[in-house]
């Protein structure tokens, strides 16, 4: 499978050596961002299980890590795409750690001054849209550059679409048919989306 698989870089190009070196530098950075993003999501989900099992001591950490994951995980997943796009059109990797630090400081500012609840919806809408557009763009680009091996690009697009549908269509309040809580479908959809994106990133940044 891997032997016949085309990569992002064209070996026949005179820029292959330079592009390959750049790829080796950015792939570790991208995997780090993805690992942090999925770790935060996993921690929040774990505390969520404890919370809904009526463990009172899990409520506060669940709310904290849920907000932290909401605030940082989606932008970090988007940054994974941006760090790979220098091989094509963008060159943003120099500023990635500054961007991450800025988001973390802004998160602490929101929490400290009690602004998270009023600002969370707008923030997640903007950062989520930018991140998903970056991932979809990477997915499309990957399919174009790898016509013999398109599955990872399709995973990225499908995962991003599920993320968008989860927030805009499914939602987390109310019920379907008066029986199925929307929040359950919301979590199932996000879990599938994260699995698809993680699977694609694991191959693309290998």
């Amino acid at each position: 499978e891997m032997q016949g698989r085309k990569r992002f870089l064209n070996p026949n190009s005179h820029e292959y050596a330079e592009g390959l070196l750049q790829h080796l530098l950015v792939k570790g950075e991208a995997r780090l961002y993805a690992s942090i993003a999925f770790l935060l999501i996993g921690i929040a989900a774990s505390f969520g299980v404890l919370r809904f099992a009526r463990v009172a001591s899990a409520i506060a950490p669940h709310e904290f890590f849920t907000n932290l994951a909401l605030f940082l995980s989606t932008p970090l997943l988007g940054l994974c795409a941006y760090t790979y796009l220098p091989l094509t059109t963008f060159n943003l990797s120099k500023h990635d750690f500054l961007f991450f630090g800025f988001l973390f400081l802004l998160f602490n500012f929101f929490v400290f001054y009690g602004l998270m609840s009023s600002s969370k919806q707008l923030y997640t809408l903007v950062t989520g849209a930018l991140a998903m557009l970056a991932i979809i763009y990477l997915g499309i680009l990957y399919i174009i550059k790898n016509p013999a091996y398109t599955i990872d690009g399709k995973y990225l697009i499908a995962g991003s679409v599920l993320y968008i549908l989860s927030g805009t269509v499914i939602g987390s309040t109310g019920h379907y048919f008066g029986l199925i809580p929307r929040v359950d479908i919301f979590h199932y959809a996000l879990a599938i989306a994260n699995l698809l994106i993680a699977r694609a990133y694991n191959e693309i940044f290998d």
Side-chain angles (χ1 to χ4, degrees):
E1 178 184 359
M2 292 299 295
Q3 186 176 3
R5 176 178 169 183
K6 292 185 179 180
R7 302 300 296 178
F8 236 70
L9 303 170
N10 181 3
N12 298 322
S13 170
H14 66 280
E15 298 176 347
Y16 173 72
E18 180 182 355
L20 179 61
L21 176 61
Q22 192 175 13
H23 168 71
L24 294 175
L25 291 175
V26 301
K27 72 174 184 178
E29 186 178 353
R31 292 182 74 92
L32 174 63
Y33 292 150
S35 298
I36 294 173
F38 290 123
L39 177 63
L40 290 175
I41 293 171
I43 293 174
S46 299
F47 278 114
V49 171
L50 295 175
R51 177 176 182 174
F52 291 106
R54 301 187 184 281
V55 178
S57 59
I59 295 177
H62 175 244
E63 291 181 351
F64 174 81
F65 281 106
T66 295
N67 284 326
L68 188 62
L70 186 65
F71 203 83
L72 294 179
S73 292
T74 306
L76 284 174
L77 291 177
L79 278 179
C80 292
Y82 281 118
T83 57
Y84 208 68
L85 293 179
L87 302 185
T88 55
T89 53
F90 294 99
N91 188 17
L92 303 179
S93 59
K94 296 177 182 178
H95 309 293
D96 288 347
F97 279 111
L98 290 177
F99 180 65
F100 176 80
F102 171 75
L103 288 180
F104 192 77
L105 290 175
L106 197 59
F107 168 78
N108 284 284
F109 175 82
F110 280 169
V111 172
F112 183 78
Y113 287 102
L115 301 176
M116 177 60 77
S117 58
S118 60
S119 307
K120 182 164 58 176
Q121 185 174 2
L122 177 60
Y123 170 82
T124 54
L125 176 64
V126 174
T127 58
L130 292 175
M132 293 306 111
L133 287 175
I135 296 173
I136 289 173
Y137 178 70
L138 176 60
I140 294 172
L141 201 61
Y142 193 85
I143 291 173
I144 294 173
K145 296 290 185 178
N146 296 273
Y149 193 89
T150 62
I151 189 65
D152 292 323
K154 292 176 181 177
Y155 282 159
L156 287 180
I157 295 171
S160 300
V161 170
L162 264 180
Y163 253 100
I164 294 170
L165 291 178
S166 297
T168 59
V169 177
I170 299 175
S172 58
T173 58
H175 293 72
Y176 278 110
F177 311 110
L179 298 172
I180 306 173
R182 283 180 179 264
V183 67
D184 290 346
I185 306 299
F186 175 80
H187 286 138
Y188 292 143
L190 284 184
I192 296 172
N194 285 321
L195 286 173
L196 290 172
I197 294 174
R199 164 65 170 78
Y201 275 172
N202 186 55
E203 293 296 323
I204 291 175
F205 297 116
D206 186 18

